[in-house]
Amino acid sequence: NSNRAAIGHLHRQLYGRLYPVLLVNTDGSTVRLRYGEPKRILMLPLDSSTLPEAERKARLRRQFPSKPKAKGEETFEGIDLDTYKKFWKK
């Protein structure tokens, strides 16, 4: 009955209604459908085995960028200390 929800919560796995969602296929075509969760857009994953080799490598490079290279330590050998003499306390 209706008092059951007031005492505790309803034990449901899914939402009680379906929400309008835009589904985007891998070729770029779109379809409106009803989905169980409130989302605006669902995108189907792209099958990388159907892509040309160059585009597949470019996508992998964008997805996993290379690690930044470590910079070398700065040395004070090439710095003229007389130019900074005015900033020292006397």
Side-chain angles (χ1 to χ4, degrees), residues 1 3-4 9 22-25 28 30 36-37 41 44 51-54 56 58 67-68 70 75-77 82:
N1 64 22
N3 294 332
R4 179 173 170 241
H9 67 279
L22 186 69
L23 176 70
V24 180
N25 292 322
T30 59
E37 296 181 17
I41 295 177
L44 293 177
L51 293 175
E53 187 69 23
R56 187 177 63 82
K67 295 180 181 177
T75 60
F76 296 106
E77 296 172 2
D82 291 333

Side-chain angles (χ1 to χ4, degrees), residues 23-31 44-47:
L23 176 70
V24 180
N25 292 322
T26 56
D27 60 350
S29 62
T30 59
V31 178
L44 293 177
L46 184 66
D47 187 16

Side-chain angles (χ1 to χ4, degrees), residues 56-72:
R56 187 177 63 82
K57 285 186 178 182
R59 282 181 173 272
L60 283 174
R61 259 187 265 117
R62 277 193 308 246
Q63 189 173 6
F64 302 107
S66 62
K67 295 180 181 177
K69 295 180 181 177
K71 296 181 181 178

Side-chain angles (χ1 to χ4, degrees), residues 70-74:
K71 296 181 181 178
E73 291 186 22
E74 295 182 15

Side-chain angles (χ1 to χ4, degrees), residues 13-24 31-45:
Q13 295 288 333
L14 301 174
Y15 286 93
R17 62 174 283 210
L18 297 176
Y19 298 89
V21 174
L22 186 69
L23 176 70
V24 180
V31 178
R32 290 232 174 237
L33 54 92
R34 312 277 297 162
Y35 193 65
E37 296 181 17
K39 295 185 178 186
R40 289 184 185 258
I41 295 177
L42 284 178
M43 293 182 69
L44 293 177

